[in-house]
Amino acid sequence: MRTSILLIRNVVLLVLMTLMVSSCKKKDDDENKLNLNLSFAVDGSKLEFNSIKYVNAAANNYSVSKLHFYISAFEFESADGNKFTFDSIFYVDAATQTPSFGLEGLPVGNYKSLRFLIGLDSLHNISHALPNTIDNENMSWPDMMGGGYHFMKLEGNFMDGGNPTGYAMHLGKNVHVVQVNIQKDFKVSGGAAALNLEMNINEWFSNPHNYDFNVDGNYSMSDSVAMSKLALNGKDVFNIQ
């Protein structure tokens, strides 16, 4: 009888210890998880799709009907110079309400910069390298043009001589990957930590190049010069809010 009581007590203690360890692990995981929340605007105004109400630096009146892209290769630099990298790749459809993605394992603390790619690095920008999902297949870059994936699809209409005309700003190929480097102090706290990143669509069309649909072209996919301008402009399309 006494042996049975001891056995039951040991089992109960084991269960309690397991629950305590599990609880501590969950708390640590929560403290080291960062949610990246993306939003989209045009010079401070929330992006509205399918409305020719925006004006870029070249005085093109335009709308946005589609904005799809990859965001990847994150590097956080802490205030004391330590760097933390993540190989995560996220597909983004800007029409999705507040796209949000989680990064596990980033230490809490103060940070001074965030770097990432709009697009994919050369190891992943290979045809069929990503999981065979509908989204990834739709982002495929034609094999006859080098293969891999679209880094971005930004599409809509602009006013051309008073007539709405389509445009498609597509980025692809390794030389046109967009390298974003945000130099700004921010803090990652424990618990449900979040970092809000806002893309200003107009920045795709300015700094250092004022991109004009009538001069630089309204379709970029087969134009390496146009894609180079867009890729350089894209370096500062995101800001931490």
Side-chain angles (χ1 to χ4, degrees):
M1 180 69 176
R2 184 178 179 181
T3 302
S4 299
I5 293 174
L6 289 174
L7 179 60
I8 293 173
R9 187 182 67 178
N10 289 338
V11 170
V12 171
L13 287 173
L14 179 61
V15 171
L16 289 174
M17 289 177 64
T18 301
L19 290 174
M20 289 175 65
V21 171
S22 176
S23 176
C24 291
K25 184 177 186 300
K26 185 178 187 300
K27 183 178 179 182
D28 290 341
D29 287 347
D30 288 343
E31 288 178 348
N32 291 320
K33 182 177 181 179
L34 177 69
N35 288 320
L36 294 176
N37 301 321
L38 307 187
S39 60
F40 306 91
V42 180
D43 293 339
S45 298
K46 182 180 178 180
L47 174 64
E48 296 180 22
F49 285 89
N50 302 310
S51 178
I52 303 179
K53 60 184 294 185
Y54 303 115
V55 183
N56 64 18
N60 300 138
N61 293 83
Y62 73 97
S63 67
V64 175
S65 62
K66 176 189 292 186
L67 176 54
H68 299 174
F69 60 94
Y70 290 107
I71 184 171
S72 66
F74 300 89
E75 180 184 273
F76 295 80
E77 185 173 0
S78 66
D80 56 7
N82 291 317
K83 296 180 179 179
F84 304 91
T85 60
F86 298 84
D87 295 329
S88 305
I89 297 172
F90 301 116
Y91 166 80
V92 180
D93 179 350
T96 301
Q97 186 174 5
T98 314
S100 182
F101 311 99
L103 295 175
E104 299 277 358
L106 181 67
V108 300
N110 296 313
Y111 291 82
K112 63 181 180 181
S113 70
L114 169 60
R115 302 177 182 87
F116 56 86
L117 302 179
I118 299 176
L120 306 168
D121 62 27
S122 58
L123 294 177
H124 295 93
N125 190 36
I126 300 171
S127 295
H128 312 298
L130 299 182
N132 186 28
T133 65
I134 293 176
D135 292 330
N136 289 335
E137 287 299 310
N138 288 339
M139 292 292 279
S140 294
W141 194 265
D143 287 335
M144 68 180 66
M145 298 177 68
Y149 296 90
H150 283 76
F151 298 153
M152 180 187 73
K153 293 181 178 181
L154 171 58
E155 301 177 7
N157 290 289
F158 74 103
M159 297 304 295
D160 181 15
N163 299 311
T165 302
Y167 74 84
M169 300 292 97
H170 289 192
L171 285 177
K173 298 186 177 181
N174 295 331
V175 294
H176 302 131
V177 68
V178 180
Q179 302 186 33
V180 177
N181 185 351
I182 302 175
Q183 299 290 322
K184 184 175 181 178
D185 294 335
F186 60 95
K187 184 176 182 178
V188 175
S189 303
L195 192 64
N196 300 316
L197 296 172
E198 182 180 85
M199 176 189 284
N200 182 3
I201 308 302
N202 255 351
E203 289 296 334
W204 286 109
F205 306 118
S206 64
N207 187 28
H209 301 287
N210 285 352
Y211 194 100
D212 187 335
F213 295 134
N214 294 302
V215 176
D216 299 294
N218 54 327
Y219 293 97
S220 66
M221 190 169 174
S222 59
D223 188 336
S224 61
V225 174
M227 285 193 288
S228 293
K229 291 180 178 180
L230 292 168
L232 289 172
N233 287 349
K235 70 184 186 302
D236 55 4
V237 296
F238 271 111
N239 279 299
I240 296 173
Q241 297 299 296

